[in-house]
Amino acid sequence: MASNFRSYIWDPVLIVCQIVLMQCIYYSFLGLWLAGVDSLVQSSRSLDQIFSYEVLGFATMQGRLSMMAFILNSLTCALGLWFFIRRGKQCLDFTVTVHFFHMIGCWIYNAHLPSALSWWLVNVACMALMAVIGEYLCMRTELRAIPVNSGPKSNL
């Protein structure tokens, strides 16, 4: 009797749906974190905060708070990996995919590849956090003991 537990059937529709879901989680929670940060310093909301590499920086308070929002978003996305991907082996793949599509979005928005060192450092740090924490959570769930008891115990 074949088991369907963790079958390794390649399902492109599932993979594409998971990629779209992770992108939605990434941008919706990044928007929420940035809205929270903006409410702290009473600044205006803009797409520049998400896609412009010039916003992220150590020089201004707005830049440091935006960097904090990106870091918090990587923790939120790690939870998204845990809830929806559920495979430790796939966490790095989905993390890199999410950040790759974000880089493409930034490239299109700015009309050139991001050139600020702070943008690259923040995104590499977020990628590392999201992958490591997501993989830790998924592996912890995968390694949970599976109960083998099939019936009541009898006294022999």
Side-chain angles (χ1 to χ4, degrees):
M1 176 183 248
S3 172
N4 288 333
F5 180 72
R6 294 290 187 204
S7 61
Y8 293 102
I9 298 171
W10 188 68
D11 187 5
V13 174
L14 175 66
I15 294 170
V16 169
C17 288
Q18 286 175 327
I19 289 171
V20 169
L21 177 66
M22 286 307 299
Q23 287 299 134
C24 290
I25 289 170
Y26 181 81
Y27 286 119
S28 59
F29 280 101
L30 181 59
L32 288 174
W33 285 115
L34 285 169
V37 164
D38 289 342
S39 68
L40 290 175
V41 293
Q42 283 84 28
S43 70
S44 63
R45 293 171 185 88
S46 163
L47 276 180
D48 284 346
Q49 292 178 300
I50 296 174
F51 292 112
S52 179
Y53 63 88
E54 295 162 344
V55 172
L56 295 175
F58 298 103
T60 64
M61 179 61 114
Q62 179 67 28
R64 288 191 296 269
L65 288 173
S66 293
M67 290 166 68
M68 183 183 71
F70 272 85
I71 298 289
L72 291 171
N73 188 48
S74 66
L75 302 176
T76 309
C77 287
L79 291 174
L81 288 171
W82 182 41
F83 283 126
F84 299 112
I85 306 304
R86 312 221 22 97
R87 297 279 301 152
K89 290 169 63 174
Q90 294 176 339
C91 286
L92 181 62
D93 299 338
F94 281 95
T95 299
V96 171
T97 302
V98 164
H99 284 86
F100 176 74
F101 283 131
H102 178 64
M103 184 187 71
I104 298 296
C106 292
W107 190 357
I108 292 169
Y109 186 80
N110 294 306
H112 61 287
L113 216 64
S115 59
L117 179 63
S118 60
W119 186 90
W120 289 99
L121 290 174
V122 166
N123 279 287
V124 167
C126 289
M127 221 183 311
L129 273 172
M130 183 175 160
V132 169
I133 294 171
E135 192 167 331
Y136 170 76
L137 293 171
C138 289
M139 293 296 280
R140 203 178 82 187
T141 302
E142 287 175 352
L143 295 175
R144 191 176 297 155
I146 299 172
V148 186
N149 298 351
S150 60
K153 293 182 180 180
S154 62
N155 292 333
L156 296 177

